[in-house]
Amino acid sequence: MGYDNLKLEKGMYRQEGMSFTQVLESLDPSENYRGTALEGTDAFQRQLKRFGIRVKGAGSSPVEKFFRTMDSAVLFPEYIARTVRQGMEENDILPDIVATTTVIDSLDYRSIYSTPTEDDKELKAVAEGTEIPTTEITTKEHLVNLTKRGRMLVASYEALRFQKLDLFSVMLRQIGAYIQHQQLEDAVDVILSGDGNDNAAVQYTVGTSPISGTKGSLGYDQLVEFWSKFDPYTMNTILCSSGTMTKLLKVPELQNPMTGLNFQGTGKLTTPLGAQLHRTNAVADGMIIGLDKRYALELVRAGDVLVEYDKLIDRQLERAAITSISGFGKICDGAAAILNV
């Protein structure tokens, strides 16, 4: 069956364990288009081509083109979800602070964790006949807290029908950016307070042992002392606010010419300690979050971006919810810490 004669219906959004695109792919596999002009497109993109819908560029289609037929109207919720997801992925910090992502199909999830002692971290020589040291991995006492984050799309079809999809996509990407920022705040909160299993990150303060200096000031010595507290982990990621980043960038060692050249060439800031630096207002001024992104956090998602497809297909845009359900769990104690300046 070719892509140009598929029967599209609402039920494609209700198939358990499969997204709308996965349902389309099962009916119109992308592998059938190898060596053709449509190679590199997925099943949803081929449906857009089928109905002549252009979602970006100067010649983008108006919103109403989705509703020329009942079949093409079925594509509208997936277009919304994809564009919102694109907004979530733009400037997304989460991939740089999350060790692993787990996708579940329920609202209850109990993760695992490891809390090794200093003795457990040593790989000692094992004499013949003696017991091999153990690393204990257990399930957490409390469930990972999953939170629904979203926005309500409020607009009449009449107000949107003649708007170009390129412009409408900007609004949808902004919704995605809002959701992503809220999820980042959730991640920061779990680092600071723990995930309900008595595992909040250790906090250090400049001017209070073991961090030297004077509270309110920040120098290279304090950064090195903070970095040293991560052993055997590595502080490879730093989160801080704009104000705190300004203090960081005034540290003489961060004004190394090679650091400047790297920033000018790639737009990415790194510290002499080898950590990737991220600026976000999800972290309070005067606070630096350091973490080993390989071991610190688990992102748990209950499915993908969800849209009220029935309303959207029937052009009932007045109050259509766009949501994403996610939560965060701590994996390894000691892989994240806080420095209060």
Side-chain angles (χ1 to χ4, degrees):
M1 181 182 296
Y3 75 94
D4 54 352
N5 55 13
L6 287 180
K7 177 60 179 174
L8 305 180
E9 57 184 5
K10 291 182 182 180
M12 290 178 166
Y13 288 96
R14 291 194 290 266
Q15 294 202 23
E16 187 175 354
M18 296 180 71
S19 67
F20 178 77
T21 295
Q22 288 172 331
V23 173
L24 282 181
E25 284 287 345
S26 68
L27 299 173
D28 179 36
S30 293
E31 62 186 26
N32 294 344
Y33 296 89
R34 291 176 183 169
T36 72
L38 294 175
E39 183 176 8
T41 63
D42 64 21
F44 176 73
Q45 292 168 328
R46 290 190 291 274
Q47 288 303 307
L48 293 180
K49 178 176 176 59
R50 170 188 175 185
F51 294 103
I53 300 172
R54 296 187 59 180
V55 297
K56 59 183 179 181
S60 65
S61 304
V63 171
E64 70 169 355
K65 194 157 188 178
F66 272 106
F67 300 96
R68 297 282 174 83
T69 70
M70 282 303 300
D71 285 273
S72 59
V74 174
L75 300 174
F76 192 57
E78 178 65 9
Y79 154 74
I80 296 269
R82 285 189 174 214
T83 309
V84 169
R85 190 159 55 244
Q86 181 183 352
M88 294 174 64
E89 293 168 354
E90 292 174 349
N91 303 313
D92 188 4
I93 297 176
L94 289 180
D96 291 326
I97 67 173
V98 167
T100 183
T101 299
T102 302
V103 180
I104 61 175
D105 56 3
S106 69
L107 295 180
D108 293 330
Y109 178 73
R110 195 184 304 274
S111 187
I112 59 175
Y113 74 105
S114 173
T115 310
T117 64
E118 291 302 319
D119 190 59
D120 293 333
K121 296 174 185 177
E122 298 181 24
L123 294 180
K124 300 176 180 178
V126 180
E128 184 176 350
T130 61
E131 184 178 353
I132 298 175
T134 61
T135 296
E136 185 178 5
I137 298 176
T138 59
T139 55
K140 292 182 178 179
E141 180 180 356
H142 297 287
L143 299 172
V144 172
N145 182 37
L146 299 181
T147 305
K148 179 185 285 189
R149 300 292 191 185
R151 291 272 167 161
M152 192 72 71
L153 180 62
V154 180
S156 67
Y157 173 69
E158 287 70 23
L160 290 178
R161 61 180 299 188
F162 298 119
Q163 295 297 325
K164 296 292 186 179
L165 289 171
D166 200 31
L167 175 60
F168 186 45
S169 294
V170 173
M171 303 295 104
L172 295 176
R173 292 201 307 272
Q174 186 182 54
I175 291 175
Y178 290 148
I179 296 174
Q180 184 275 330
H181 182 74
Q182 291 169 331
Q183 290 177 342
L184 179 59
E185 289 184 343
D186 290 340
V188 169
D189 183 63
V190 166
I191 293 172
L192 295 176
S193 306
D195 57 13
N197 291 279
D198 193 25
N199 54 2
V202 176
Q203 299 208 23
Y204 302 96
T205 301
V206 173
T208 302
S209 181
I211 307 298
S212 64
T214 304
K215 185 169 176 58
S217 64
L218 181 65
Y220 189 67
D221 288 349
Q222 288 73 54
L223 289 174
V224 172
E225 290 162 355
F226 182 51
W227 169 85
S228 70
K229 297 304 172 187
F230 281 79
D231 184 53
Y233 302 107
T234 300
M235 187 181 73
N236 51 37
T237 305
I238 289 176
L239 299 177
C240 62
S241 67
S242 296
T244 307
M245 181 178 282
T246 300
K247 287 186 176 182
L248 276 172
L249 296 179
K250 290 180 180 179
V251 174
E253 287 78 3
L254 284 180
Q255 298 174 18
N256 183 295
M258 292 306 297
T259 300
L261 286 174
N262 182 58
F263 176 59
Q264 293 171 22
T266 67
K268 295 181 179 180
L269 286 168
T270 55
T271 75
L273 306 178
Q276 186 69 47
L277 191 58
H278 293 285
R279 179 186 63 181
T280 172
N281 60 13
V283 180
D285 281 338
M287 177 182 291
I288 294 173
I289 296 179
L291 63 150
D292 189 331
K293 65 179 182 181
R294 301 169 300 172
Y295 302 103
L297 282 178
E298 176 188 17
L299 168 59
V300 182
R301 292 192 189 278
D304 208 337
V305 174
L306 304 175
V307 297
E308 294 185 293
Y309 58 87
D310 275 320
K311 287 185 176 181
L312 294 174
I313 293 172
D314 294 335
R315 291 183 285 187
Q316 298 174 19
L317 279 67
E318 285 78 4
R319 294 191 66 81
I322 302 169
T323 60
S324 178
I325 302 174
S326 63
F328 296 87
K330 297 282 289 293
I331 301 176
C332 297
D333 281 356
I338 313 298
L339 178 62
N340 295 300
V341 179

PDB file of all heavy atoms in Angstrom, residues 205-232:
ATOM      1  N   THR A 205      29.557  25.617  51.316  1.00  0.00           N
ATOM      2  CA  THR A 205      29.462  27.073  51.304  1.00  0.00           C
ATOM      3  C   THR A 205      30.857  27.669  51.332  1.00  0.00           C
ATOM      4  O   THR A 205      31.713  27.242  52.117  1.00  0.00           O
ATOM      5  CB  THR A 205      28.671  27.584  52.517  1.00  0.00           C
ATOM      6  OG1 THR A 205      27.349  27.012  52.489  1.00  0.00           O
ATOM      7  CG2 THR A 205      28.549  29.107  52.486  1.00  0.00           C
ATOM      8  N   VAL A 206      31.085  28.639  50.438  1.00  0.00           N
ATOM      9  CA  VAL A 206      32.367  29.339  50.415  1.00  0.00           C
ATOM     10  C   VAL A 206      32.592  30.003  51.777  1.00  0.00           C
ATOM     11  O   VAL A 206      31.714  30.687  52.300  1.00  0.00           O
ATOM     12  CB  VAL A 206      32.396  30.392  49.291  1.00  0.00           C
ATOM     13  CG1 VAL A 206      33.668  31.244  49.382  1.00  0.00           C
ATOM     14  CG2 VAL A 206      32.318  29.723  47.928  1.00  0.00           C
ATOM     15  N   GLY A 207      33.778  29.790  52.341  1.00  0.00           N
ATOM     16  CA  GLY A 207      34.101  30.359  53.640  1.00  0.00           C
ATOM     17  C   GLY A 207      33.814  29.448  54.805  1.00  0.00           C
ATOM     18  O   GLY A 207      34.095  29.776  55.956  1.00  0.00           O
ATOM     19  N   THR A 208      33.212  28.282  54.515  1.00  0.00           N
ATOM     20  CA  THR A 208      32.924  27.286  55.555  1.00  0.00           C
ATOM     21  C   THR A 208      33.607  25.986  55.179  1.00  0.00           C
ATOM     22  O   THR A 208      33.430  25.487  54.058  1.00  0.00           O
ATOM     23  CB  THR A 208      31.405  27.066  55.700  1.00  0.00           C
ATOM     24  OG1 THR A 208      30.779  28.314  56.015  1.00  0.00           O
ATOM     25  CG2 THR A 208      31.101  26.051  56.785  1.00  0.00           C
ATOM     26  N   SER A 209      34.410  25.454  56.091  1.00  0.00           N
ATOM     27  CA  SER A 209      35.166  24.229  55.835  1.00  0.00           C
ATOM     28  C   SER A 209      34.253  23.150  55.232  1.00  0.00           C
ATOM     29  O   SER A 209      33.108  22.986  55.679  1.00  0.00           O
ATOM     30  CB  SER A 209      35.789  23.717  57.136  1.00  0.00           C
ATOM     31  OG  SER A 209      36.543  22.561  56.896  1.00  0.00           O
ATOM     32  N   PRO A 210      34.724  22.475  54.188  1.00  0.00           N
ATOM     33  CA  PRO A 210      36.088  22.424  53.646  1.00  0.00           C
ATOM     34  C   PRO A 210      36.377  23.400  52.503  1.00  0.00           C
ATOM     35  O   PRO A 210      37.381  23.244  51.817  1.00  0.00           O
ATOM     36  CB  PRO A 210      36.165  20.985  53.132  1.00  0.00           C
ATOM     37  CG  PRO A 210      34.784  20.710  52.632  1.00  0.00           C
ATOM     38  CD  PRO A 210      33.856  21.437  53.572  1.00  0.00           C
ATOM     39  N   ILE A 211      35.507  24.376  52.261  1.00  0.00           N
ATOM     40  CA  ILE A 211      35.725  25.349  51.189  1.00  0.00           C
ATOM     41  C   ILE A 211      36.307  26.622  51.799  1.00  0.00           C
ATOM     42  O   ILE A 211      35.723  27.210  52.718  1.00  0.00           O
ATOM     43  CB  ILE A 211      34.415  25.675  50.436  1.00  0.00           C
ATOM     44  CG1 ILE A 211      33.740  24.375  49.959  1.00  0.00           C
ATOM     45  CG2 ILE A 211      34.704  26.584  49.255  1.00  0.00           C
ATOM     46  CD1 ILE A 211      34.541  23.556  48.977  1.00  0.00           C
ATOM     47  N   SER A 212      37.441  27.064  51.277  1.00  0.00           N
ATOM     48  CA  SER A 212      38.114  28.248  51.804  1.00  0.00           C
ATOM     49  C   SER A 212      37.472  29.523  51.265  1.00  0.00           C
ATOM     50  O   SER A 212      36.446  29.471  50.582  1.00  0.00           O
ATOM     51  CB  SER A 212      39.599  28.214  51.423  1.00  0.00           C
ATOM     52  OG  SER A 212      39.737  28.286  50.006  1.00  0.00           O
ATOM     53  N   GLY A 213      38.105  30.667  51.546  1.00  0.00           N
ATOM     54  CA  GLY A 213      37.638  31.937  51.006  1.00  0.00           C
ATOM     55  C   GLY A 213      36.679  32.654  51.929  1.00  0.00           C
ATOM     56  O   GLY A 213      36.497  32.293  53.098  1.00  0.00           O
ATOM     57  N   THR A 214      36.048  33.678  51.364  1.00  0.00           N
ATOM     58  CA  THR A 214      35.099  34.511  52.109  1.00  0.00           C
ATOM     59  C   THR A 214      33.734  34.417  51.444  1.00  0.00           C
ATOM     60  O   THR A 214      33.632  34.545  50.219  1.00  0.00           O
ATOM     61  CB  THR A 214      35.560  35.979  52.123  1.00  0.00           C
ATOM     62  OG1 THR A 214      36.877  36.044  52.661  1.00  0.00           O
ATOM     63  CG2 THR A 214      34.614  36.827  52.946  1.00  0.00           C
ATOM     64  N   LYS A 215      32.694  34.195  52.227  1.00  0.00           N
ATOM     65  CA  LYS A 215      31.353  34.068  51.661  1.00  0.00           C
ATOM     66  C   LYS A 215      31.023  35.295  50.829  1.00  0.00           C
ATOM     67  O   LYS A 215      31.263  36.433  51.230  1.00  0.00           O
ATOM     68  CB  LYS A 215      30.324  33.892  52.777  1.00  0.00           C
ATOM     69  CG  LYS A 215      28.915  33.638  52.250  1.00  0.00           C
ATOM     70  CD  LYS A 215      27.971  33.218  53.344  1.00  0.00           C
ATOM     71  CE  LYS A 215      26.548  33.059  52.824  1.00  0.00           C
ATOM     72  NZ  LYS A 215      26.452  32.094  51.732  1.00  0.00           N
ATOM     73  N   GLY A 216      30.481  35.060  49.646  1.00  0.00           N
ATOM     74  CA  GLY A 216      30.151  36.140  48.729  1.00  0.00           C
ATOM     75  C   GLY A 216      31.190  36.332  47.645  1.00  0.00           C
ATOM     76  O   GLY A 216      30.938  37.030  46.668  1.00  0.00           O
ATOM     77  N   SER A 217      32.378  35.730  47.820  1.00  0.00           N
ATOM     78  CA  SER A 217      33.435  35.829  46.807  1.00  0.00           C
ATOM     79  C   SER A 217      33.665  34.458  46.185  1.00  0.00           C
ATOM     80  O   SER A 217      33.321  33.424  46.772  1.00  0.00           O
ATOM     81  CB  SER A 217      34.726  36.357  47.431  1.00  0.00           C
ATOM     82  OG  SER A 217      35.222  35.440  48.389  1.00  0.00           O
ATOM     83  N   LEU A 218      34.261  34.447  45.011  1.00  0.00           N
ATOM     84  CA  LEU A 218      34.507  33.195  44.305  1.00  0.00           C
ATOM     85  C   LEU A 218      35.824  33.285  43.562  1.00  0.00           C
ATOM     86  O   LEU A 218      36.046  34.216  42.787  1.00  0.00           O
ATOM     87  CB  LEU A 218      33.373  32.898  43.315  1.00  0.00           C
ATOM     88  CG  LEU A 218      33.496  31.599  42.509  1.00  0.00           C
ATOM     89  CD1 LEU A 218      33.425  30.381  43.441  1.00  0.00           C
ATOM     90  CD2 LEU A 218      32.403  31.516  41.449  1.00  0.00           C
ATOM     91  N   GLY A 219      36.702  32.331  43.804  1.00  0.00           N
ATOM     92  CA  GLY A 219      37.984  32.280  43.123  1.00  0.00           C
ATOM     93  C   GLY A 219      38.273  30.880  42.628  1.00  0.00           C
ATOM     94  O   GLY A 219      37.522  29.925  42.877  1.00  0.00           O
ATOM     95  N   TYR A 220      39.404  30.754  41.970  1.00  0.00           N
ATOM     96  CA  TYR A 220      39.797  29.467  41.401  1.00  0.00           C
ATOM     97  C   TYR A 220      40.021  28.426  42.497  1.00  0.00           C
ATOM     98  O   TYR A 220      39.696  27.248  42.329  1.00  0.00           O
ATOM     99  CB  TYR A 220      41.063  29.644  40.556  1.00  0.00           C
ATOM    100  CG  TYR A 220      41.428  28.433  39.744  1.00  0.00           C
ATOM    101  CD1 TYR A 220      40.628  28.010  38.689  1.00  0.00           C
ATOM    102  CD2 TYR A 220      42.589  27.706  40.022  1.00  0.00           C
ATOM    103  CE1 TYR A 220      40.961  26.907  37.933  1.00  0.00           C
ATOM    104  CE2 TYR A 220      42.928  26.593  39.273  1.00  0.00           C
ATOM    105  CZ  TYR A 220      42.112  26.197  38.228  1.00  0.00           C
ATOM    106  OH  TYR A 220      42.445  25.097  37.480  1.00  0.00           O
ATOM    107  N   ASP A 221      40.552  28.856  43.646  1.00  0.00           N
ATOM    108  CA  ASP A 221      40.799  27.928  44.750  1.00  0.00           C
ATOM    109  C   ASP A 221      39.506  27.261  45.196  1.00  0.00           C
ATOM    110  O   ASP A 221      39.473  26.050  45.466  1.00  0.00           O
ATOM    111  CB  ASP A 221      41.428  28.661  45.939  1.00  0.00           C
ATOM    112  CG  ASP A 221      42.873  29.052  45.685  1.00  0.00           C
ATOM    113  OD1 ASP A 221      43.444  28.566  44.675  1.00  0.00           O
ATOM    114  OD2 ASP A 221      43.416  29.850  46.471  1.00  0.00           O
ATOM    115  N   GLN A 222      38.445  28.049  45.282  1.00  0.00           N
ATOM    116  CA  GLN A 222      37.167  27.496  45.733  1.00  0.00           C
ATOM    117  C   GLN A 222      36.599  26.495  44.704  1.00  0.00           C
ATOM    118  O   GLN A 222      36.024  25.472  45.068  1.00  0.00           O
ATOM    119  CB  GLN A 222      36.149  28.614  45.981  1.00  0.00           C
ATOM    120  CG  GLN A 222      36.431  29.450  47.217  1.00  0.00           C
ATOM    121  CD  GLN A 222      37.608  30.394  47.037  1.00  0.00           C
ATOM    122  OE1 GLN A 222      37.616  31.179  46.087  1.00  0.00           O
ATOM    123  NE2 GLN A 222      38.590  30.319  47.924  1.00  0.00           N
ATOM    124  N   LEU A 223      36.784  26.807  43.429  1.00  0.00           N
ATOM    125  CA  LEU A 223      36.324  25.888  42.392  1.00  0.00           C
ATOM    126  C   LEU A 223      37.078  24.566  42.450  1.00  0.00           C
ATOM    127  O   LEU A 223      36.480  23.486  42.309  1.00  0.00           O
ATOM    128  CB  LEU A 223      36.493  26.522  41.008  1.00  0.00           C
ATOM    129  CG  LEU A 223      35.547  27.669  40.661  1.00  0.00           C
ATOM    130  CD1 LEU A 223      35.942  28.278  39.318  1.00  0.00           C
ATOM    131  CD2 LEU A 223      34.101  27.190  40.622  1.00  0.00           C
ATOM    132  N   VAL A 224      38.385  24.634  42.657  1.00  0.00           N
ATOM    133  CA  VAL A 224      39.189  23.411  42.749  1.00  0.00           C
ATOM    134  C   VAL A 224      38.783  22.589  43.972  1.00  0.00           C
ATOM    135  O   VAL A 224      38.668  21.357  43.904  1.00  0.00           O
ATOM    136  CB  VAL A 224      40.694  23.751  42.787  1.00  0.00           C
ATOM    137  CG1 VAL A 224      41.517  22.503  43.087  1.00  0.00           C
ATOM    138  CG2 VAL A 224      41.139  24.364  41.467  1.00  0.00           C
ATOM    139  N   GLU A 225      38.568  23.267  45.091  1.00  0.00           N
ATOM    140  CA  GLU A 225      38.156  22.551  46.306  1.00  0.00           C
ATOM    141  C   GLU A 225      36.799  21.887  46.116  1.00  0.00           C
ATOM    142  O   GLU A 225      36.573  20.754  46.578  1.00  0.00           O
ATOM    143  CB  GLU A 225      38.123  23.529  47.479  1.00  0.00           C
ATOM    144  CG  GLU A 225      39.506  23.989  47.921  1.00  0.00           C
ATOM    145  CD  GLU A 225      39.478  25.254  48.766  1.00  0.00           C
ATOM    146  OE1 GLU A 225      38.377  25.835  48.939  1.00  0.00           O
ATOM    147  OE2 GLU A 225      40.553  25.663  49.239  1.00  0.00           O
ATOM    148  N   PHE A 226      35.891  22.580  45.442  1.00  0.00           N
ATOM    149  CA  PHE A 226      34.577  22.006  45.145  1.00  0.00           C
ATOM    150  C   PHE A 226      34.726  20.808  44.213  1.00  0.00           C
ATOM    151  O   PHE A 226      34.133  19.745  44.426  1.00  0.00           O
ATOM    152  CB  PHE A 226      33.687  23.081  44.525  1.00  0.00           C
ATOM    153  CG  PHE A 226      32.287  22.650  44.209  1.00  0.00           C
ATOM    154  CD1 PHE A 226      31.485  22.027  45.161  1.00  0.00           C
ATOM    155  CD2 PHE A 226      31.749  22.879  42.947  1.00  0.00           C
ATOM    156  CE1 PHE A 226      30.185  21.630  44.869  1.00  0.00           C
ATOM    157  CE2 PHE A 226      30.459  22.493  42.648  1.00  0.00           C
ATOM    158  CZ  PHE A 226      29.671  21.864  43.601  1.00  0.00           C
ATOM    159  N   TRP A 227      35.535  20.965  43.184  1.00  0.00           N
ATOM    160  CA  TRP A 227      35.793  19.883  42.216  1.00  0.00           C
ATOM    161  C   TRP A 227      36.335  18.638  42.910  1.00  0.00           C
ATOM    162  O   TRP A 227      35.967  17.510  42.576  1.00  0.00           O
ATOM    163  CB  TRP A 227      36.770  20.402  41.169  1.00  0.00           C
ATOM    164  CG  TRP A 227      37.337  19.368  40.254  1.00  0.00           C
ATOM    165  CD1 TRP A 227      36.790  18.875  39.110  1.00  0.00           C
ATOM    166  CD2 TRP A 227      38.594  18.685  40.406  1.00  0.00           C
ATOM    167  NE1 TRP A 227      37.610  17.944  38.533  1.00  0.00           N
ATOM    168  CE2 TRP A 227      38.728  17.803  39.323  1.00  0.00           C
ATOM    169  CE3 TRP A 227      39.613  18.753  41.360  1.00  0.00           C
ATOM    170  CZ2 TRP A 227      39.841  16.983  39.162  1.00  0.00           C
ATOM    171  CZ3 TRP A 227      40.723  17.937  41.204  1.00  0.00           C
ATOM    172  CH2 TRP A 227      40.832  17.064  40.115  1.00  0.00           C
ATOM    173  N   SER A 228      37.197  18.828  43.915  1.00  0.00           N
ATOM    174  CA  SER A 228      37.844  17.691  44.581  1.00  0.00           C
ATOM    175  C   SER A 228      36.855  16.853  45.377  1.00  0.00           C
ATOM    176  O   SER A 228      37.142  15.692  45.703  1.00  0.00           O
ATOM    177  CB  SER A 228      38.961  18.188  45.501  1.00  0.00           C
ATOM    178  OG  SER A 228      38.433  18.877  46.630  1.00  0.00           O
ATOM    179  N   LYS A 229      35.680  17.405  45.721  1.00  0.00           N
ATOM    180  CA  LYS A 229      34.701  16.688  46.534  1.00  0.00           C
ATOM    181  C   LYS A 229      33.936  15.632  45.732  1.00  0.00           C
ATOM    182  O   LYS A 229      33.132  14.894  46.299  1.00  0.00           O
ATOM    183  CB  LYS A 229      33.709  17.668  47.169  1.00  0.00           C
ATOM    184  CG  LYS A 229      34.365  18.662  48.133  1.00  0.00           C
ATOM    185  CD  LYS A 229      35.133  17.941  49.210  1.00  0.00           C
ATOM    186  CE  LYS A 229      35.949  18.893  50.059  1.00  0.00           C
ATOM    187  NZ  LYS A 229      36.828  18.148  51.006  1.00  0.00           N
ATOM    188  N   PHE A 230      34.185  15.550  44.439  1.00  0.00           N
ATOM    189  CA  PHE A 230      33.433  14.615  43.609  1.00  0.00           C
ATOM    190  C   PHE A 230      34.095  13.241  43.490  1.00  0.00           C
ATOM    191  O   PHE A 230      33.503  12.328  42.927  1.00  0.00           O
ATOM    192  CB  PHE A 230      33.218  15.203  42.210  1.00  0.00           C
ATOM    193  CG  PHE A 230      32.112  16.198  42.149  1.00  0.00           C
ATOM    194  CD1 PHE A 230      32.310  17.491  42.591  1.00  0.00           C
ATOM    195  CD2 PHE A 230      30.860  15.840  41.682  1.00  0.00           C
ATOM    196  CE1 PHE A 230      31.284  18.425  42.550  1.00  0.00           C
ATOM    197  CE2 PHE A 230      29.829  16.762  41.643  1.00  0.00           C
ATOM    198  CZ  PHE A 230      30.039  18.056  42.078  1.00  0.00           C
ATOM    199  N   ASP A 231      35.311  13.098  43.964  1.00  0.00           N
ATOM    200  CA  ASP A 231      36.003  11.824  43.852  1.00  0.00           C
ATOM    201  C   ASP A 231      35.161  10.691  44.467  1.00  0.00           C
ATOM    202  O   ASP A 231      34.631  10.862  45.570  1.00  0.00           O
ATOM    203  CB  ASP A 231      37.350  11.917  44.587  1.00  0.00           C
ATOM    204  CG  ASP A 231      38.172  10.659  44.432  1.00  0.00           C
ATOM    205  OD1 ASP A 231      38.383  10.251  43.284  1.00  0.00           O
ATOM    206  OD2 ASP A 231      38.575  10.082  45.466  1.00  0.00           O
ATOM    207  N   PRO A 232      34.933   9.556  43.776  1.00  0.00           N
ATOM    208  CA  PRO A 232      35.545   9.113  42.531  1.00  0.00           C
ATOM    209  C   PRO A 232      34.808   9.551  41.272  1.00  0.00           C
ATOM    210  O   PRO A 232      35.119   9.080  40.183  1.00  0.00           O
ATOM    211  CB  PRO A 232      35.477   7.594  42.664  1.00  0.00           C
ATOM    212  CG  PRO A 232      34.174   7.369  43.364  1.00  0.00           C
ATOM    213  CD  PRO A 232      34.049   8.507  44.351  1.00  0.00           C
TER     214      PRO A 232
END
